[in-house]
Amino acid sequence: MTIPDTGVRVEPGSFRDPGNRVFHRGEEVLRGLDERSARDWRALSVTDFFRQATSTGQIVGTEELTPTPVDAPWTAVLRHERIPFVSHPYEWSSAMLRDAALLHLDVLRAALEAGFTTKDGSAYNVQWRGARPVFIDVGSFEALRDGEPWAGYRQFCQTLLYPLLIQAHLGLDFQPFLRARVDGVEPDQMRRLFGGTRRWRAGVPTHVHLHGAMQARNSAASTTDVRAQLRAAGFSRELALATVRGLAKLVRRLDHRPGDSHWSDYQRTCAYSVPDRQAKEEFVDRAVAAVGGGSALDLGANDGRYARIAARHAAHVVAVEQDPAVVDTLYRALREEGETRILPLVMDLADPSPGGGWRGVERAAFADRARADTVLALAVVHHLAIGRNVPLPEVLDQLTALTVAGGSLVVEFVHPDDPMARRLLANKPDGLFPDYRRDVFEALLARRGRVVARTELPSGTRTLYQVVVGG
């Protein structure tokens, strides 16, 4: 499907289904459908299932543009509700991935009951409104044909079920597995991970070993042949529904709760006194309020204390934290609160998500998605500059690059004599960071923006700055 030069921006990650394509026109998120996909959409859009799922927020709000734009090379064009921030599954915590899997299965079950199915089962079909998952791939729905299995089963296993099995049964963080391959974890890799006695753990015999054996047996057969075999064997919608219910039961059992980590009790063990914390909270509140509305990015969010303050004023907040266990705890708390403005993500700021997939742009890099009106970099600079040996000018280059022009960077400088800085420096050779000084830091800030507010915390070893970037 070709797209004429009409000033729209095609979404690089939407090319895999030739029947529809997502693109952007200004702030609008649009989807073009070919004749067959348009027919499926129009049948879907009038069902009670779809109307209820969109009204409850399970499926992204969608409407058809009528009449279809005359210059569009599609049979129909849809307009979707805009999701504030697009994240990737390897940036989610284990509870987030599990909830995304359960949503996917819940939507599929209701679709099957209404006479529809989905073409795929990818974790990328789900995004987030804060701590609430939402199914976004409306173009994936198609009319159910008797005798055909769920086409998305393999994708569901590779991008959702297998990572959950790895986390729950092996205690390994799944994020590196998903980040390594855009298509997820292959069955062959899973069989090697789950050999010996591990092969009998919940979900593994059926969805790893049996699935792999069936794939190997049918590797020489065409998709049409396999479907014909299933149809002849009496595969029905009832069997498909039973499969979905079984998967949902399994996923609910995979509720892995990470144990304590170095950062899970940071707010209690860090060097902040009560007066320091109070002064810091007041400074952050004033700084975000001064920007008013828009988006906020909290780098090194930990338990979300300052993300919650930012959410008092910002329309939405992305809270980034390196430790998966800390993000998981934060997500569970936000989920219980019904929070729809704060999205917690797992991210190492010294090794953020790169571009991935086809041509390296199918899944956009974090730096290409994350620019915000307000960026909070609290107790972050010293970890990057001393802990990870990132040159101080480059730390500030990255922080300002994440801030929109005219927006505010709220940044904390931890002095070399602060207990936390001394702890980091104790593990480094003497004299390795001669430029890690407050005067150097302030000079670097002045080259990148206009300092509009500054406060030294009562302890005397930390200073906060609000900088209008490019100002």
Side-chain angles (χ1 to χ4, degrees):
M1 182 178 295
T2 59
I3 299 173
D5 185 9
T6 57
V8 302
R9 180 174 63 85
V10 178
E11 175 56 50
S14 71
F15 68 89
R16 296 202 179 203
D17 182 352
N20 66 97
R21 193 75 187 263
V22 174
F23 60 100
H24 305 268
R25 185 176 65 187
E27 292 298 308
E28 292 182 307
V29 181
L30 306 177
R31 183 187 298 269
L33 305 175
D34 68 6
E35 183 177 357
R36 178 175 174 176
S37 296
R39 187 167 59 249
D40 286 331
W41 150 253
R42 286 166 180 159
L44 173 75
S45 65
V46 297
T47 62
D48 291 339
F49 148 66
F50 187 76
R51 290 170 176 167
Q52 181 176 357
T54 53
S55 67
T56 59
Q58 285 187 308
I59 297 177
V60 68
T62 304
E63 61 180 354
E64 183 174 347
L65 296 183
T66 53
T68 302
V70 294
D71 58 347
W74 303 283
T75 302
V77 175
L78 311 182
R79 178 165 53 207
H80 297 304
E81 165 200 356
R82 189 174 189 86
I83 301 300
F85 187 85
V86 174
S87 61
H88 302 326
Y90 43 85
E91 298 165 350
W92 304 345
S93 76
S94 59
M96 294 175 74
L97 192 74
R98 177 175 172 271
D99 285 352
L102 289 172
L103 173 68
H104 208 305
L105 293 170
D106 194 34
V107 167
L108 176 59
R109 176 196 53 76
L112 288 169
E113 292 173 348
F116 291 84
T117 186
T118 56
K119 301 174 188 176
D120 56 51
S122 172
Y124 293 93
N125 289 349
V126 176
Q127 285 298 324
W128 300 85
R129 298 187 192 95
R132 290 184 59 189
V134 54
F135 188 91
I136 64 167
D137 192 5
V138 173
S140 177
F141 292 103
E142 63 179 354
L144 179 66
R145 290 178 286 277
D146 287 340
E148 293 196 3
W150 177 33
Y153 172 67
R154 176 170 178 164
Q155 275 189 324
F156 182 87
C157 287
Q158 292 186 188
T159 64
L160 287 160
L161 180 60
Y162 290 171
L164 288 170
L165 291 173
I166 288 170
Q167 185 88 60
H169 292 329
L170 304 182
L172 299 175
D173 290 330
F174 67 84
Q175 291 86 0
F177 290 88
L178 287 182
R179 175 169 160 167
R181 294 190 72 256
V182 71
D183 291 326
V185 187
E186 291 283 352
D188 285 346
Q189 186 178 19
M190 287 293 290
R191 286 196 296 274
R192 290 193 291 271
L193 289 171
F194 286 90
T197 58
R198 290 175 176 173
R199 68 183 295 119
W200 304 113
R201 298 190 180 183
V204 174
T206 299
H207 300 291
V208 175
H209 292 285
L210 180 60
H211 181 199
M214 291 180 65
Q215 278 193 328
R217 187 182 67 187
N218 294 316
S219 60
S222 68
T223 301
T224 302
D225 292 338
V226 173
R227 288 176 175 174
Q229 293 170 17
L230 288 167
R231 193 178 295 112
F235 192 88
S236 64
R237 175 165 60 177
E238 287 68 31
L239 284 175
L241 281 166
T243 299
V244 171
R245 293 189 188 103
L247 281 168
K249 182 178 179 180
L250 170 61
V251 170
R252 290 190 187 97
R253 293 175 62 187
L254 302 176
D255 188 12
H256 173 77
R257 290 180 177 268
D260 291 338
S261 67
H262 173 71
W263 298 105
S264 58
D265 200 24
Y266 178 74
Q267 289 295 343
R268 186 182 65 82
T269 60
C270 69
Y272 287 112
S273 65
V274 172
D276 274 6
R277 181 171 287 120
Q278 182 177 352
K280 186 172 178 178
E281 291 176 358
E282 292 172 354
F283 187 90
V284 170
D285 187 72
R286 289 193 302 269
V288 183
V291 175
S295 58
L297 181 61
D298 184 7
L299 303 175
N302 200 261
D303 66 358
R305 178 186 300 268
Y306 300 101
R308 286 184 168 90
I309 293 174
R312 298 172 187 169
H313 311 286
H316 66 91
V317 181
V318 177
V320 174
E321 168 59 43
Q322 176 180 346
D323 193 317
V326 174
V327 175
D328 203 66
T329 300
L330 174 57
Y331 167 73
R332 290 172 188 269
L334 295 172
R335 181 183 62 187
E336 291 303 310
E337 297 165 15
E339 180 59 70
T340 59
R341 294 164 300 163
I342 303 174
L343 171 64
L345 295 179
V346 178
M347 182 81 58
D348 181 354
L349 296 176
D351 184 21
S353 300
W358 174 243
R359 300 176 66 188
V361 297
E362 184 180 354
R363 304 301 170 196
F366 178 72
D368 294 330
R369 292 174 279 135
R371 299 186 74 221
D373 298 291
T374 302
V375 173
L376 305 181
L378 307 169
V380 164
V381 170
H382 61 300
H383 286 294
L384 293 173
I386 302 175
R388 305 296 287 274
N389 287 26
V390 181
L392 195 56
E394 294 192 25
V395 172
L396 288 178
D397 285 343
Q398 182 59 50
L399 297 180
T400 53
L402 294 173
T403 313
V404 301
S408 280
L409 168 63
V410 182
V411 61
E412 179 176 13
F413 183 72
V414 176
H415 304 185
D417 57 345
D418 181 88
M420 182 60 70
R422 288 204 306 268
R423 191 183 308 172
L424 292 172
L425 288 167
N427 297 319
K428 304 289 183 176
D430 291 340
L432 187 61
F433 303 101
D435 294 329
Y436 186 81
R437 307 192 314 269
R438 179 175 172 178
D439 60 324
V440 173
F441 183 76
E442 291 185 348
L444 292 169
L445 279 183
R447 295 180 197 140
R448 290 159 177 79
R450 177 168 50 92
V451 177
V452 296
R454 175 193 290 107
T455 189
E456 187 169 313
L457 297 185
S459 65
T461 62
R462 298 185 177 215
T463 306
L464 300 172
Y465 305 83
Q466 181 185 0
V467 183
V468 175
V469 173

